[in-house]
Amino acid sequence: MSEDILQRFHGVIPAGGVGTRLWPLSRAAAPKFLHDLTGSGSTLIRATYDRLAPLTGDRIMVVTGQAHRTAVLAQLPELCDENLVLESEPKDSAAAIGLAAAILSQRNPDTIMGSFAADQVIGPVEVFQEAVREAVATAATGKIVTIGIRPTLPSTAFGYIRQSGRLDIDGAPSAMAVAEFVEKPGEDLARKYLASGDYLWNAGMFVAPVGLMLRHLAASEPELYVGLMEIAAAWDTPVRDEVMARIWPDLPKTAIDYAVAEPAAAAGDVAMIPGVFTWDDVGDFAAIGRLNPASESTNITVLGEGARVYADQASGVVVSDTKRVIALIGISDVVVVDTPDALLVTTKDHAQSVKKAVEHLKAAGDVDVL
Amino acid sequence: MSEDILQRFHGVIPAGGVGTRLWPLSRAAAPKFLHDLTGSGSTLIRATYDRLAPLTGDRIMVVTGQAHRTAVLAQLPELCDENLVLESEPKDSAAAIGLAAAILSQRNPDTIMGSFAADQVIGPVEVFQEAVREAVATAATGKIVTIGIRPTLPSTAFGYIRQSGRLDIDGAPSAMAVAEFVEKPGEDLARKYLASGDYLWNAGMFVAPVGLMLRHLAASEPELYVGLMEIAAAWDTPVRDEVMARIWPDLPKTAIDYAVAEPAAAAGDVAMIPGVFTWDDVGDFAAIGRLNPASESTNITVLGEGARVYADQASGVVVSDTKRVIALIGISDVVVVDTPDALLVTTKDHAQSVKKAVEHLKAAGDVDVL
């Protein structure tokens, strides 16, 4: 792939989701992407930025909520105003990624954008970057390119991508055609997907010419498309706020998978680079246990500076957001998340049920801790 | 029993133990007896005082640490200075109860004292009071009288009292002679004790003429006896503090059981009233579960005003000393004790292991939370 093509590449980081299954660590005011969940010293959004920067330089746009402006800039002080897109309210991924596409297209219609969620853990970075290079080379041939993740277990938590034949693209030796995106399967189906070898996890990574993204968006979500284009036309002008305030609140909420990826795949416009890096979306506290080694002396994975943990016949995960002493006695695979105003005690097996607790607290009016 | 004898009766409440197995709720600065562990609205020491007052009026002496003066007076505002005995440092039960005996004897050698720990839960109070009346009547015949607890299980956590023949004492129809006190048994022995019917739990309740208490103390612990008598002689004089400061720190530390109860039993001077009330020494957090009903909607026993507990597929005990939201998911018989600077997560089965955690924290230098 010529370096010319990489010059057209612009990263986009949608930083939206709260990460409800990581409550009470993640919450509306401190969503998942603002935490260091791997003990690396970097928050997830900082690590996402640092993974892309060697490919893009400072051409990385972040789309996030107005409320997170200060926190995001604290994490990414090099982010110039031009590359910070603030949503006045959340509108799901089609609007967020679509707005980035529209603004980038307005500025330079030759741009190839690459959208990568702010809250994933990936390594080694060099392997990821090589996959992105192949994706950019493939996108330059007029494809929407996703980077699929080789499944390691029959997960029912992810959507899948069905690959069809191998493509023959200069600079992208591993590029595959994509037959379809399929929704999160049940357990039996997930096992079949895993066994077939043709299904990869959909990690929501999309690399594509902005024009192609917008064309599919226009076809499947014309109302959203028209609104986003009007906002984008005003974006770099003095009337940005006024136009945004008028149009954004009424835009339809939908996912980029429905609005672009699935119809584009049906049209034969999608390709895939299989990612052979390790990948984790840190979906719950069990993931924290996977991603962080347990202390050999205590069998406990501890996250949090200054944590003071005593363990006796215990194992599991402690996330400490306080300076309190935490004593764990006689519980296996426990999950304890200790924050100043809320405490979670569960097990790794029940880590997915945290979402239900958050929904219950919301319904009960305990919104001060959400 | 004539009311004259009851006029000689003076309650004594040694309030010393921290209640290590109830850490982090109980701790040096807030020992067990200063907590309401039954949801009754009364702290254990207040309830102990209220159980005795119908028999003693205001003739109740509290022996506690200097550090607890303010907290004890807040609980027992009616306690006059004459009935508050403050230890400059803990010296175990023989010194605490012996000092009370010596002071009471100095004031009136005809006194019958009744010592009852500050941190036990007893009911119904009328049944307890009837046992104490019988104990006082028996003590008046020249006995050290203990109130034994009928064992309900082969506990290895308590010492036992072996009864021998029935006594025939006016006003004390259930009084029994005591053959011996025996130490905490192993499991096999505890089962034999339970089966025999002749062994009752030693709850550390002693009713006796002060002179008889002191006579046995003099015989078995002469150094302690001499020191206590010297302090008692100075107690109601201007040199109390000076004498206390000189003598108390060097007094031997030993338990009242070794210093008085066991030798007195060997001499045939001990009687017992079998207590038919319910009794719990609230020895650990499993006891909190026994003593407080679980919420029907959540299966969780919650102790603590303003506790905000969400439970899903969980059961157990939550003690909340904060205003934090506590979410419990998928753990049975869990024990969560939430305080501003320390958190305990364990199970009812491991409630006794809390002591080990406290010892570890002490050794590790984490004394700020003990």
Side-chain angles (χ1 to χ4, degrees), chain A residues 232-279:
Chain A
W235 196 260
D236 294 324
T237 78
V239 295
R240 175 203 295 182
D241 291 350
E242 179 195 317
V243 174
M244 185 75 172
R246 177 164 54 78
I247 295 173
W248 186 260
D250 294 329
L251 290 181
K253 279 176 133 166
T254 184
I256 192 75
D257 303 81
Y258 303 138
V260 173
E262 293 178 10
D269 278 350
V270 178
M272 173 176 62
I273 306 298
V276 291
F277 43 82
T278 64
W279 173 86

Side-chain angles (χ1 to χ4, degrees), chain B:
Chain B
M1 178 177 65
S2 75
E3 281 302 307
D4 283 359
I5 294 176
L6 210 54
Q7 288 305 314
R8 293 164 53 195
F9 183 51
H10 205 113
V12 172
I13 303 176
V18 168
T20 302
R21 289 183 186 83
L22 293 176
W23 179 87
L25 183 67
S26 290
R27 48 179 82 192
K32 185 175 155 189
F33 60 83
L34 290 174
H35 294 276
D36 170 14
L37 299 180
T38 62
S40 67
S42 288
T43 60
L44 295 183
I45 194 171
R46 177 75 243 176
T48 303
Y49 192 99
D50 290 341
R51 269 198 304 275
L52 289 172
L55 302 173
T56 59
D58 60 5
R59 296 187 309 279
I60 301 178
M61 177 177 275
V62 174
V63 186
T64 192
Q66 185 76 52
H68 305 310
R69 183 179 183 278
T70 307
V72 166
L73 287 174
Q75 286 302 313
L76 308 173
E78 64 269 69
L79 201 66
C80 63
D81 183 60
E82 187 172 81
N83 276 325
L84 182 58
V85 173
L86 298 172
E87 303 171 296
S88 51
E89 59 185 275
K91 278 287 166 190
D92 216 330
S93 56
I97 296 168
L99 179 58
I103 295 171
L104 291 172
S105 170
Q106 183 77 25
R107 291 178 187 161
N108 180 357
D110 285 337
T111 301
I112 293 170
M113 70 183 288
S115 176
F116 303 91
D119 53 8
Q120 302 181 345
V121 173
I122 286 170
V125 288
E126 295 75 13
V127 180
F128 166 77
Q129 286 158 354
E130 189 46 40
V132 175
R133 279 175 196 275
E134 290 201 46
V136 174
T138 307
T141 70
K143 293 282 186 188
I144 293 177
V145 188
T146 186
I147 299 177
I149 308 297
R150 279 258 169 251
T152 51
L153 73 167
S155 174
T156 58
F158 305 123
Y160 285 71
I161 307 158
R162 179 159 68 89
Q163 65 185 19
S164 44
R166 185 172 289 277
L167 296 173
D168 180 22
I169 293 171
D170 188 34
S174 57
M176 304 292 291
V178 164
E180 60 172 343
F181 289 84
V182 295
E183 307 229 10
K184 298 175 185 175
E187 284 191 25
D188 288 348
L189 201 52
R191 263 189 288 273
K192 282 179 195 157
Y193 288 171
L194 182 65
S196 84
D198 284 337
Y199 289 80
L200 280 78
W201 288 336
N202 176 6
M205 304 183 194
F206 295 105
V207 179
V210 288
L212 184 58
M213 289 289 279
L214 291 170
R215 205 148 63 236
H216 281 289
L217 190 65
S220 63
E221 289 282 345
E223 188 192 336
L224 179 59
Y225 170 78
V226 169
L228 293 177
M229 291 308 283
E230 192 172 347
I231 295 171
W235 196 260
D236 294 325
T237 77
V239 295
R240 176 203 293 183
D241 290 350
E242 181 195 314
V243 173
M244 185 75 172
R246 179 165 50 82
I247 295 174
W248 187 260
D250 293 328
L251 289 181
K253 279 176 133 167
T254 184
I256 192 75
D257 302 82
Y258 303 138
V260 173
E262 293 179 10
D269 278 350
V270 178
M272 174 175 63
I273 307 297
V276 291
F277 44 83
T278 63
W279 172 88
D280 203 305
D281 74 336
V282 207
D284 60 28
F285 287 111
I288 304 284
R290 284 196 304 272
L291 291 166
N292 297 271
S295 152
E296 277 181 33
S297 61
T298 63
N299 283 320
I300 305 281
T301 295
V302 177
L303 223 66
E305 279 178 60
R308 300 164 70 186
V309 177
Y310 164 83
D312 175 20
Q313 303 171 68
S315 64
V317 175
V318 172
V319 182
S320 167
D321 198 22
T322 74
K323 301 285 179 201
R324 304 196 311 163
V325 165
I326 300 175
L328 303 176
I329 304 173
I331 304 194
S332 297
D333 286 332
V334 71
V335 171
V336 174
V337 184
D338 185 42
T339 77
D341 60 358
L343 167 69
L344 169 70
V345 178
T346 184
T347 66
K348 286 185 185 175
D349 283 349
H350 289 82
Q352 287 279 318
S353 301
V354 173
K355 187 176 184 179
K356 199 170 129 198
V358 171
E359 284 160 3
H360 175 95
L361 291 169
K362 198 171 199 171
D366 291 318
V367 289
D368 54 313
V369 298
L370 302 182

